[in-house]
């Protein structure tokens, strides 16, 4: 009987040890799940959180870029905090400081201006957080890397389409992006590189519509009132503004005025397909977004990366538009 009691006691102790071991395993498992939910795991035991400060999310291209970044971050198991600057420099600076205070592992910025954020970015990098640029370039000397497409080439490409369409003679109006952003600066340079070679083309007017469809439509309506039938063609530095101009022209029955834009957003692709726009210059938001997330993770881990990664623009006309609509 004494032997039986001893055996029972041993069995009870063994069972208790099994229960305690199971509880410990469960607690460890919950800890791992928490890391994944809050920001993923880098594979070396350290969860990674990235910040993305985007100049504004009203346009389709910026939305496409952000969606691509979110999808890639989820795929790679990292957390991405997105902050919409609403097209305001002071808001962008405040949001960058906010991300810094959250001690994110790396910050990606899509700046509204190529110089206005420089001091802030340099200071954040000095504080130990790498900052990467995407889509719009920032001239901050301590920017770790930049992922984008060559805006001068985009300007040259769209301007050449207009030159060819109007036979090198006529009057154009130009809708610009936010003054000082690299898209505006580079595309303007490219447009004038082509126009300087075609002295029989006159620029009747040019003005920023801040990448906005609504602003572009209003500006175009005013230009139609001022210049009327003297307007031979429209060069818009992005598709949102091109569509805005197109809407104003259609309202006035000026359907024969050729319009061109940049980005390859869905409405522009449809307009090219329907013959309402002569072309757009496709900018690959998916490739830009995916690449910058990959690089931000590398930067967060302290790995060496190149200073610049360039993704080419692609001309879209009626001849190849179906390929892009199918994407």
């Amino acid at each position: 009987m004494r032997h039986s009691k001893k055996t029972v006691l041993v069995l009870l102790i063994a069972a208790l040890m099994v229960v305690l071991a199971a509880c410990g395993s469960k607690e460890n498992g919950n800890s791992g799940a928490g890391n994944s939910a809050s920001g993923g795991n880098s594979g070396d035991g350290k969860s990674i959180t990235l910040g993305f400060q985007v100049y504004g999310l009203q346009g389709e291209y910026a939305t496409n870029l952000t969606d691509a970044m979110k999808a890639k971050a989820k795929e790679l198991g990292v957390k991405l905090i997105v902050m919409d600057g609403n097209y305001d420099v002071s808001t962008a600076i405040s949001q960058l400081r906010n991300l810094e205070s959250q001690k994110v592992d790396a910050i990606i910025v899509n700046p509204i201006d190529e110089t206005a954020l420089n001091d802030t970015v340099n200071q954040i990098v000095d504080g130990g957080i790498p900052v990467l640029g995407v889509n719009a370039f920032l001239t901050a000397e301590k920017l770790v890397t930049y992922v984008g497409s060559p805006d001068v080439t985009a300007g040259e490409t769209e301007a050449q389409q207009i030159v060819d369409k109007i036979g090198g003679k006529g009057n154009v109006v130009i809708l610009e992006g936010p003054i000082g952003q690299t898209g505006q600066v580079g595309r303007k340079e490219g447009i004038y590189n082509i126009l300087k070679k075609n002295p029989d083309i006159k620029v009747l007017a040019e003005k920023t519509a801040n990448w906005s469809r609504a602003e572009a439509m209003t500006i175009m309506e005013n230009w139609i009132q001022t210049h009327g039938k003297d307007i031979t063609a429209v060069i818009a530095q992005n598709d949102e503004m091109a569509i805005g101009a197109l809407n104003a022209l259609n309202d006035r029955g000026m359907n024969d005025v050729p319009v061109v834009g940049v980005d390859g957003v869905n409405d522009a692709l449809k307009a090219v397909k329907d013959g309402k726009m002569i072309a757009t210059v496709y900018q690959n938001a998916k490739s830009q977004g995916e690449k910058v997330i990959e690089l931000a993770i590398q930067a967060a881990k302290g790995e060496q990366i190149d200073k610049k990664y360039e993704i080419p623009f692609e001309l879209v006309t009626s001849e190849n538009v179906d390929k892009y609509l199918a994407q």
Side-chain angles (χ1 to χ4, degrees):
M1 187 70 177
R2 191 177 299 165
H3 176 75
S4 177
K5 286 182 178 180
K6 185 177 180 181
T7 301
V8 169
L9 182 61
V10 170
L11 289 173
L12 285 173
I13 291 171
L16 181 60
M17 290 177 67
V18 170
V19 170
L20 290 173
C23 289
S25 174
K26 185 176 180 182
E27 287 175 4
N28 290 336
N30 285 343
S31 175
N35 283 339
S36 178
S38 66
N41 196 284
S42 65
D44 57 7
K46 182 183 182 300
S47 62
I48 289 179
T49 298
L50 307 176
F52 178 39
Q53 197 286 309
V54 53
Y55 65 78
L57 287 172
Q58 294 180 26
E60 184 181 331
Y61 184 83
T63 301
N64 291 344
L65 176 68
T66 304
D67 288 346
M69 292 171 64
K70 288 179 178 178
K72 193 65 176 179
K74 183 177 181 180
E75 174 193 330
L76 298 179
V78 301
K79 182 177 180 181
L80 179 66
I81 301 170
V82 178
M83 292 191 171
D84 180 357
N86 200 28
Y87 304 88
D88 180 71
V89 169
S90 61
T91 299
I93 291 172
S94 175
Q95 290 175 342
L96 287 169
R97 290 301 188 187
N98 186 322
L99 291 168
E100 179 186 30
S101 70
Q102 293 188 53
K103 301 186 185 304
V104 298
D105 298 290
I107 295 173
I108 302 164
V109 61
N110 175 217
I112 188 64
D113 184 278
E114 67 179 350
T115 60
L117 307 182
N118 284 1
D119 288 344
T120 303
V121 167
N122 286 335
Q123 290 165 14
I124 290 173
V125 175
D126 282 341
I129 299 176
V131 181
L132 303 81
V134 66
N135 179 246
F137 187 65
L138 191 71
T139 57
E141 61 183 15
K142 296 186 179 180
L143 190 74
V144 173
T145 191
Y146 167 70
V147 178
S149 300
D151 287 302
V152 174
T153 300
E156 291 174 342
T157 302
E158 64 169 343
Q160 189 62 55
Q161 290 297 301
I162 290 296
V163 169
D164 294 344
K165 183 67 176 180
I166 65 177
K169 295 181 180 180
N171 304 312
V172 301
V173 292
I174 303 172
L175 289 160
E176 299 188 271
I179 303 302
Q181 192 182 39
T182 52
Q184 178 267 330
V185 174
R187 292 173 198 179
K188 180 172 185 173
E189 179 182 341
I191 289 166
Y192 275 92
N193 284 347
I194 299 301
L195 294 183
K196 286 173 184 176
K197 298 176 183 177
N198 294 274
D200 289 333
I201 296 178
K202 178 183 177 183
V203 177
L204 290 179
E206 59 185 327
K207 188 174 182 179
T208 179
N210 295 301
W211 304 136
S212 165
R213 187 177 304 199
E215 285 188 50
M217 185 171 179
T218 299
I219 292 169
M220 194 70 220
E221 288 170 345
N222 293 334
W223 283 344
I224 291 171
Q225 290 180 357
T226 303
H227 303 289
K229 295 294 184 180
D230 289 338
I231 300 172
T232 310
V234 178
I235 302 174
Q237 289 182 355
N238 86 334
D239 284 338
E240 294 290 341
M241 297 187 298
I243 296 296
L246 193 63
N247 290 339
L249 289 165
N250 289 342
D251 286 348
R252 293 298 187 95
M254 298 173 67
N255 302 322
D256 59 339
V257 175
V259 178
V260 69
V262 175
D263 282 339
V265 302
N266 196 53
D267 282 351
L269 294 174
K270 289 178 180 177
V272 172
K273 173 73 173 177
D274 296 339
K276 296 176 181 178
M277 280 177 60
I278 64 167
T280 181
V281 187
Y282 180 75
Q283 184 173 200
N284 198 323
K286 187 172 185 290
S287 292
Q288 287 186 10
E290 291 179 345
K291 185 65 177 179
V292 79
I293 290 293
E294 292 171 352
L295 293 171
I297 293 171
Q298 291 179 250
K301 293 178 178 179
E303 298 175 7
Q304 289 294 316
I305 53 179
D306 291 339
K307 289 288 289 183
K308 188 175 183 179
Y309 293 82
E310 202 165 79
I311 297 167
F313 281 102
E314 302 168 40
L315 176 63
V316 181
T317 66
S318 59
E319 295 180 358
N320 65 347
V321 68
D322 287 339
K323 164 189 167 185
Y324 294 88
L325 281 168
Q327 291 179 358

